[in-house]
Amino acid sequence: MSDFVHTGWSLYITIVTIVSIIACLALLFINSKRRAPGAAEQTGHVWDEDLVEYNNPLPRWWISLFYITIVFGILYLALYPGLGTFAGLFGWSSQHQYQDEDAKAQVLYTPIFEKYLKQDLTQVAANLEAQKIGQRLFLTYCAQCHGSDAGGSRGFPSLRDNDWLYGGTLEKIKETIMGGRGGVMPPMGPALGEEGVNAVAQYVLSLSGSKHDVSRVEQGKQTFMTFCAACHGLDAKGGQAVGAPNLTDNIWLYSGDEKTLIETISKGRNGNMPAHKDLLGEPKVHLLAAYVYSLSHADARKSAQTQ
């Protein structure tokens, strides 16, 4: 009901609910009357030539179940929210239940998170128990985008390799999770035109050894140096300061085929990594960063597994 700011909505929903219950009772009462002894009436409905529907009353046990259901509904609406803004005699709400459960969880788990927050990230990354906690946090808050195996998907980078847009040190990973990232590849189609976009795409394909049109590489290189090198670098190996990807390693965020590259260059891309500082707090992010780091660093995983 919080979405219905006008009090009239509360009254409207209350009336509709009560009228519906009364209508159900009336319909049930009418259909529960027993017929006088004698032949039952036919409704006029016939199937398969000789299957005739009779207007017999419902069985008593069935009617009793309907009455019990209605009584249950009335008691529920009296005790719990359901009639407009009426909170129910118990005063229950999903928000209060969440707050109560969260408060209990904070009491139980905060000391654990605080213990690891006091430790250096390198220590946490090498701690088996910390890794298990970090993995559960990852599956809860990160797997929707990066996958349960952290292998990534279209538009969401893999966290299992050493190809990082903004840096893969423990501190940088924590910084990324805490503050989020906003990556923008501007649309270059208006500036380059169709011919220019295609030429740059051929040059980029050549950088990673992919199949390309050799005759257009030099033209694409010149255009790249003018319009793209400011972000991706003269060597096209990217710039972590602005989140520009390396174009020479054949690792792609949106796929590296010709069609996709032309689309990316022409229309641009917008990527967003939401900030988790307010949602999780630094203690949880500390553990999460250590876990993400361990995914691409075998030495950290090995240290944790040998404990």
Side-chain angles (χ1 to χ4, degrees):
M1 284 303 300
S2 60
D3 293 334
F4 299 99
V5 295
H6 196 281
T7 55
W9 282 111
S10 175
L11 182 62
Y12 170 77
I13 293 174
T14 301
I15 293 173
V16 169
T17 303
I18 293 175
V19 169
S20 298
I21 293 174
I22 294 174
C24 288
L25 279 170
L27 183 63
L28 185 59
F29 177 76
I30 292 172
N31 285 277
S32 64
K33 289 184 177 180
R34 288 196 173 277
R35 299 279 185 264
E41 299 176 0
Q42 295 184 8
T43 64
H45 299 157
V46 181
W47 294 270
D48 294 336
E49 298 182 359
D50 59 351
L51 292 177
V52 180
E53 180 183 5
Y54 288 89
N55 190 19
N56 288 316
L58 294 171
R60 281 296 180 188
W61 66 269
W62 202 344
I63 292 174
S64 298
L65 285 177
F66 275 131
Y67 278 120
I68 291 172
T69 302
I70 292 174
V71 171
F72 174 83
I74 294 173
L75 289 174
Y76 182 92
L77 291 173
L79 299 176
Y80 295 96
L83 292 176
T85 54
F86 176 62
L89 299 177
F90 284 170
W92 178 91
S93 73
S94 58
Q95 181 179 1
H96 290 154
Q97 180 177 358
Y98 169 78
Q99 291 172 344
D100 291 342
E101 292 177 357
D102 182 64
K104 293 177 182 178
Q106 292 295 338
V107 172
L108 182 62
Y109 297 114
T110 295
I112 300 175
F113 294 135
E114 292 292 342
K115 178 185 72 173
Y116 289 115
L117 180 61
K118 296 175 182 178
Q119 298 179 13
D120 184 81
L121 278 167
T122 306
Q123 291 179 272
V124 180
N127 186 294
L128 182 60
E129 287 303 316
Q131 290 303 297
K132 291 179 179 179
I133 298 173
Q135 183 182 38
R136 289 193 288 270
L137 289 170
F138 181 89
L139 292 173
T140 301
Y141 298 103
C142 313
Q144 296 87 340
C145 294
H146 294 283
S148 58
D149 63 350
S153 60
R154 181 180 172 85
F156 302 99
S158 169
L159 304 176
R160 305 189 67 87
D161 54 30
N162 273 307
D163 190 77
W164 298 92
L165 291 175
Y166 295 91
T169 64
L170 279 162
E171 292 72 20
K172 276 295 180 182
I173 294 173
K174 182 176 179 179
E175 177 185 313
T176 296
I177 301 173
M178 287 283 282
R181 299 291 185 184
V184 178
M185 160 69 184
M188 303 303 295
L192 303 182
E194 183 177 351
E195 178 66 22
V197 167
N198 290 337
V200 171
Q202 297 306 316
Y203 173 65
V204 173
L205 286 169
S206 72
L207 293 172
S208 57
S210 301
K211 183 179 179 181
H212 60 279
D213 185 347
V214 178
S215 65
R216 307 179 73 179
V217 169
E218 186 58 35
Q219 176 191 351
K221 180 178 180 179
Q222 295 302 319
T223 305
F224 181 92
M225 293 300 174
T226 302
F227 291 93
C228 313
C231 292
H232 293 281
L234 295 174
D235 57 1
K237 291 187 176 181
Q240 293 182 349
V242 294
N246 183 348
L247 303 177
T248 67
D249 56 10
N250 208 23
I251 297 175
W252 305 97
L253 197 57
Y254 293 94
S255 180
D257 60 273
E258 181 180 358
K259 180 180 178 182
T260 304
L261 279 176
I262 290 174
E263 179 184 337
T264 298
I265 298 168
S266 178
K267 299 180 180 179
R269 299 288 184 185
N270 285 281
N272 180 54
M273 160 69 185
H276 286 70
K277 178 180 179 181
D278 294 333
L279 176 64
L280 300 181
E282 187 178 1
K284 291 181 181 178
V285 171
H286 197 73
L287 282 161
L288 192 52
Y291 171 73
V292 171
Y293 176 84
S294 73
L295 293 173
S296 58
H297 290 78
D299 54 339
R301 291 199 303 275
K302 186 175 180 180
S303 297
Q305 291 168 359
T306 55
Q307 286 188 7

